[in-house]
Amino acid sequence: GTINVEPVNSPARRANGAAVVRLRRLDTWSVMRTSFVLALSLAIVMLVAVLTLWTLFTITGVFETVGRNVEDVLGASTNVSAWFSFPRVMGLTVLFGGVQVVLTTAALTLLATIYNVTAGWSGGFEATLSDDR
């Protein structure tokens, strides 16, 4: 399991029906798998969003307008349409998504490991769980 929870006091429930638990350890492997799936989901959402925006901008002529404005300012030698080509935009999106997946997974796994070390010193995170009826 991902969570190692134990009751704080001998009777796990207080008089009002609330249970006090302490989170002492996170399973690092489970945190890594979960963070990978969540980061991958975010990368897919980012890919779909960029694809949608690129299609919308192409249909509405935003890239052509930007290209004409840049050529007016910088001169006719610039090729702005190549900057916003579909393979380039999608390639960069996939690259950024891959980097985001790797960095997010590594960072959250590292944070779980740091939590496990500090929870050993401090006793972990204490929470009171109650049933509001």
Side-chain angles (χ1 to χ4, degrees), residues 1 5 33 62 64 95 98 124:
V5 177
R33 289 184 306 190
V62 170
E64 288 81 19
L95 177 69

Side-chain angles (χ1 to χ4, degrees), residues 56-133:
L56 179 68
F57 290 166
T58 300
I59 291 171
T60 58
V62 170
F63 294 136
E64 288 81 19
T65 304
V66 169
R68 282 194 307 268
N69 290 337
V70 169
E71 286 176 1
D72 287 344
V73 172
L74 298 179
S77 63
T78 58
N79 189 6
V80 177
S81 61
W83 297 351
F84 300 113
S85 66
F86 183 77
R88 184 176 195 154
V89 170
M90 285 291 113
L92 287 173
T93 304
V94 168
L95 177 69
F96 288 143
V99 169
Q100 176 260 331
V101 167
V102 170
L103 290 180
T104 301
T105 303
L108 291 177
T109 305
L110 179 64
L111 284 174
T113 304
I114 292 171
Y115 177 82
N116 287 339
V117 170
T118 58
W121 298 333
S122 66
F125 178 75
E126 187 175 306
T128 303
L129 306 174
S130 64
D131 186 18
D132 294 333
R133 290 186 192 193

Side-chain angles (χ1 to χ4, degrees), residues 1 6 13 17 21 31 39 44 49-50 52 62 69 81 101 103 107 115 119:
E6 62 185 49
R13 297 203 174 270
V21 294
V31 169
I44 291 170
V50 168
T52 303
V62 170
N69 290 337
S81 61
V101 167
L103 290 180
Y115 177 82

